[in-house]
Amino acid sequence: MKKKFMVVGSPVKHSLSPAIHQAFANEFDLEIQYTKHDPGVDGFVAAIHAFHEQGGMGASVTLPFKQQAAELAVHRTAAVEQAGAANTLWWNKNDELCADNTDGLGLVWDLQQRLSVPLQNARILLLGAGGAAAGVLPNLLAENPAKIYIANRSADNAKKLVAKQTAEHQARMEVVAFDHEYNEPLDLVIHATALGYQGKFPGLSMSIMGRLTFCYDLSYGYAAQAFLGWAADNRALYRADGIGMLVAQAALQFERWLGVRPNVRKTLFKIGPILGS
Ligand code: NDP
């Protein structure tokens, strides 16, 4: 019988996760059934219980349920505790719900392994302080950047996010306004707000930008175009959207559920044409 997994979110219609996980399964000749489920904004908990009763083994969790997923789990990894959000659920041998957050490791893999972006001693600007920013921040800090600036619409949310980090890490962070002026260009700017879905990005000071500033948008496709288009117009040579992170974080989920680590580059190569179609 096929092992059952799902991605649960609202909306979830455009999720690439089924195609990504199917490509992983093909790599190992594994038979899986991976479906999309939108239970409406109030239906997350019931949907998780029902899925398990139907034999579901694990779930990817996306907007707006990552926080609820963390709260619902009986066992949480350190990444979930730090982020207060989970993107990966599964049940252990005792049928207890377990949660992990693979977003941060997925982003760091994409930046360092695929895109060769050095993080050590880098000066980084993180735009946003929502679930995704909370998930990736501890992993970025673990790579020993020189400084991480955080800018968010609600400065209070940015301050709360900083306060969750260790004292040693807090010393390397600063909450700033979107249009903060910098003395020299930054090494890396990561766009992690939800504004891209409206075809927008936060208004930034031009002082962030040098020709070598790497501009990365966590979203992909249409939602990444406003920020990456602005970066291109301002002569940033290095730009990427979040598709590499999406596949890398999914590979970690797949390994968690099935014990084998898929080849991220191979699947990225296959997913590219789906995105472009
Ligand atoms: P959340 O809803 O948790 O956070 C939204 C963020 O966007 C907050 O910082 C919020 O600021 C900000 N925001 C929302 N509306 C506005 C606005 N009108 N003006 C300015 N800021 C605004 O979303 P996530 O953090 O989960 O997701 C953020 C992005 O990251 C999405 O595009 C998502 O697709 C992408 N993502 C990509 C992944 C990948 O694998 N590539 C994985 C996870 C996320 P405030 O605090 O003030 O409300």
Side-chain angles (χ1 to χ4, degrees):
M1 206 166 58
K2 288 183 179 177
K3 293 180 171 165
K4 287 186 188 174
F5 303 94
M6 71 167 170
V7 54
V8 55
S10 190
V12 79
K13 207 165 58 180
H14 299 294
S15 173
L16 292 174
S17 294
I20 293 169
H21 283 277
Q22 192 55 58
F24 293 161
N26 293 348
E27 189 183 331
F28 298 101
D29 283 331
L30 292 172
E31 295 238 334
I32 65 163
Q33 183 189 78
Y34 189 107
T35 50
K36 298 180 198 179
H37 193 64
D38 181 346
V41 283
D42 298 322
F44 174 72
V45 175
I48 290 294
H49 291 317
F51 184 63
H52 188 45
E53 275 163 27
Q54 291 154 19
M57 287 182 65
S60 310
V61 181
T62 185
L63 281 175
F65 301 129
K66 288 183 177 181
Q67 201 178 345
Q68 276 187 73
E71 285 163 8
L72 188 64
V74 179
H75 300 288
R76 290 176 273 270
T77 61
V80 174
E81 296 288 359
Q82 272 178 317
N87 72 345
T88 311
L89 293 175
W90 71 98
W91 287 266
N92 68 13
K93 284 179 195 149
N94 302 324
D95 264 353
E96 294 160 332
L97 189 64
C98 306
D100 192 10
N101 191 323
T102 61
D103 282 341
L105 283 176
L107 173 66
V108 168
W109 180 89
D110 199 33
L111 288 170
Q112 291 190 322
Q113 305 299 317
R114 188 173 75 96
L115 301 165
S116 302
V117 180
L119 296 175
Q120 193 171 8
N121 294 323
R123 291 167 63 250
I124 300 171
L125 169 61
L126 179 61
L127 302 166
V136 303
L137 186 57
N139 297 81
L140 291 171
L141 284 162
E143 298 302 321
N144 289 319
K147 180 105 186 180
I148 298 190
Y149 298 95
I150 298 196
N152 191 50
R153 176 177 59 178
S154 152
D156 271 357
N157 287 351
K159 284 177 193 160
K160 280 183 202 155
L161 185 52
V162 172
K164 278 196 207 164
Q165 313 308 314
T166 63
E168 185 202 343
H169 283 159
Q170 284 183 34
R172 281 186 276 153
M173 299 175 71
E174 185 179 340
V175 174
V176 293
F178 285 130
D179 60 359
H180 181 79
E181 293 287 334
Y182 301 86
N183 293 333
E184 53 181 317
L186 299 172
D187 299 306
L188 172 63
V189 180
I190 299 173
H191 181 213
T193 83
L195 262 180
Y197 293 108
Q198 298 171 34
K200 298 178 188 164
F201 70 99
L204 301 172
S205 148
M206 275 308 300
S207 61
I208 66 162
M209 192 66 88
R211 283 179 73 77
L212 301 182
T213 303
F214 200 109
C215 293
Y216 190 98
D217 200 313
L218 246 58
S219 58
Y220 44 85
Y222 164 76
Q225 280 171 16
F227 174 56
L228 297 182
W230 175 82
D233 289 346
N234 288 292
R235 301 186 308 135
L237 287 175
Y238 302 110
R239 309 176 299 273
D241 72 7
I243 188 68
M245 170 181 170
L246 182 74
V247 177
Q249 63 77 28
L252 294 164
Q253 298 183 323
F254 195 88
E255 184 178 16
R256 173 70 82 182
W257 296 330
L258 292 161
V260 283
R261 168 88 60 105
N263 184 320
V264 176
R265 287 172 203 274
K266 230 188 220 174
T267 294
L268 260 174
F269 189 70
K270 289 183 189 147
I271 291 301
I274 293 175
L275 259 182
S277 65

